[in-house]
Amino acid sequence: MDDRRRMLIVAYDDAQILDIACPAGALDIANRYGATPPYTIELGTLGRRAARSSAGIMIGAGQGLETVTGRLDTLLVVGGAGYAEAAADGRLVAQVRRLAGLSKRVASVCTGTYVLAAAGLLDHRRVTTHWGYGEQLAARHPTVAVDVGPLYIRDGDVYTAAGVTSALDLTLSLIEDDHGPTSARSVARELVSYLHRPADQAQISMFLAAPPPGDRLVRDLSGHIAGHLAGDLTPGALAARAGVSPRHLTRLFTAHLGTTPTRAVRTARTEAAAHLVRSSGLPLAAIARRCGLGSAQTLRKAFLDHYGVTGDTMRKMPDIPRALDPPGRKTPVA
């Protein structure tokens, strides 16, 4: 009896090639490191047509979705520029719905969530998607609990990943679930990848509005702050990480960012919280904890100081308001 783990990746025109390559490559390496039972990796499209990736590269399909039968371990729908057309394609959505019924697990990467949502597979579930598309997904599918904070989310047998490289984090998590942490570590080492970013690490680094600072130490610390908003980001902790004194750290931040480390951290946390308020239905207290602000009361004060509005007001606004520029505040520079 063949006990392989059958993984079917669903693609369509203008799919993101990394959404396909990250899971497929990681599963292939898991097989080479002795995953038992091994994975069978299949790519399926409607009519078994080759899919044109958004990069213009044609990717051949081994399966026509209409002809797939038998049990599947995992059904994974990718995202990409063609997501809206894919979610509006009744034939594709119907096949995804049918195949989900054959699958032990259902997953999506990036805007693949739109296809799963159109198939009714995400109703009353907590999911994530790319941070730039969460608000639209929540508006189109009000029964879906969209949270664009984490890199990936598991809700029962449904897995959703934020987008592009987070597909690798999700796949490493699946490999760890299936074959244990040693196997996942081996795959990560082969891929020269960090093992593996935790699911609740924020999709935050892209929210920083200012250009990256020219100083490498400040730039590295800015990236660390953006990815660990709920962690210990006191000046002492940041200085220790950088191997400099707190006083020297303050001089560097003032010279390259026009602000102190404490204010830089508070700004990063406040701006990240603002994006979560606008793009998710999470309670303000949960957003405050995720972004390192501690409580809804602290978040409220941070919003009033930074934007001049409360979180409840911001949630009703069409856009995130512009940050206030109080007297004495120096605009950050590169």
Side-chain angles (χ1 to χ4, degrees):
M1 179 180 177
D2 189 354
D3 59 353
R4 288 173 173 260
R5 296 184 182 274
R6 190 180 179 196
M7 316 291 282
L8 178 63
I9 300 173
V10 176
Y12 45 82
D13 281 342
D14 287 327
Q16 166 58 250
I17 195 168
L18 286 175
D19 288 5
I20 300 170
C22 282
L27 294 172
D28 173 56
I29 291 171
N31 283 346
R32 289 196 273 123
Y33 273 88
T36 305
Y39 295 103
T40 296
I41 308 158
E42 305 173 17
L43 182 69
T45 62
L46 284 177
R48 201 181 173 186
R49 294 182 293 104
R52 181 189 67 252
S53 74
S54 56
I57 298 172
M58 300 299 293
I59 304 172
Q63 295 284 350
L65 297 178
E66 305 90 334
T67 62
V68 174
T69 58
R71 296 296 299 170
L72 297 172
D73 183 273
T74 306
L75 175 72
L76 187 149
V77 180
V78 304
Y83 77 94
E85 291 80 3
D89 187 331
R91 296 176 304 152
L92 177 64
V93 170
Q95 289 302 321
V96 167
R97 186 184 301 114
R98 180 184 70 85
L99 293 167
L102 303 177
S103 304
K104 174 185 173 184
R105 304 181 288 207
V106 176
S108 67
V109 179
C110 193
T111 46
T113 47
Y114 281 75
V115 179
L116 294 187
L121 301 172
L122 302 183
D123 291 345
H124 310 295
R125 292 186 183 272
R126 177 172 169 260
V127 307
T128 194
T129 189
H130 187 284
W131 63 268
Y133 297 87
E135 186 175 353
Q136 177 180 284
L137 180 65
R140 289 189 183 181
H141 300 279
T143 60
V144 178
V146 181
D147 179 359
V148 296
L151 289 173
Y152 60 92
I153 289 174
R154 175 183 181 180
D155 187 333
D157 57 359
V158 174
Y159 299 70
T160 51
V164 197
T165 58
S166 65
L168 178 56
D169 299 294
L170 172 62
T171 308
L172 288 171
S173 178
L174 294 177
I175 292 169
E176 182 170 340
D177 287 348
D178 294 341
H179 302 289
T182 300
S183 179
R185 279 196 296 270
S186 298
V187 174
R189 281 198 301 267
E190 182 74 14
L191 291 169
V192 197
S193 170
Y194 177 76
L195 179 71
H196 54 75
R197 293 183 293 177
D200 60 355
Q201 182 168 317
Q203 302 177 45
I204 296 303
S205 60
M206 66 286 290
F207 292 152
L208 299 181
D215 183 83
R216 180 175 179 179
L217 186 150
V218 177
R219 185 168 62 248
D220 289 348
L221 283 179
S222 296
H224 174 74
I225 291 168
H228 300 82
L229 293 175
D232 182 359
L233 299 178
T234 58
L238 293 175
R241 180 179 179 83
V244 299
S245 70
R247 180 176 295 182
H248 185 56
L249 181 74
T250 297
R251 285 197 293 265
L252 287 171
F253 268 63
T254 301
H256 294 281
L257 294 179
T259 190
T260 66
T262 298
R263 289 176 180 168
V265 168
R266 189 168 180 82
T267 296
R269 284 171 165 164
T270 303
E271 292 179 354
H275 281 275
L276 283 180
V277 166
R278 295 289 300 127
S279 61
S280 80
L282 286 174
L284 296 182
I287 291 174
R289 289 192 298 272
R290 184 182 296 280
C291 295
L293 290 170
S295 68
Q297 183 178 356
T298 304
L299 182 147
R300 183 178 188 276
K301 185 178 187 309
F303 275 20
L304 286 171
D305 290 344
H306 198 70
Y307 297 113
V309 300
T310 65
D312 288 328
T313 300
M314 182 180 292
R315 184 156 266 168
K316 300 171 186 176
M317 299 175 73
D319 296 296
I320 294 175
R322 185 175 178 178
L324 298 177
D325 194 10
R329 175 178 173 181
K330 183 178 179 182
T331 302
V333 294

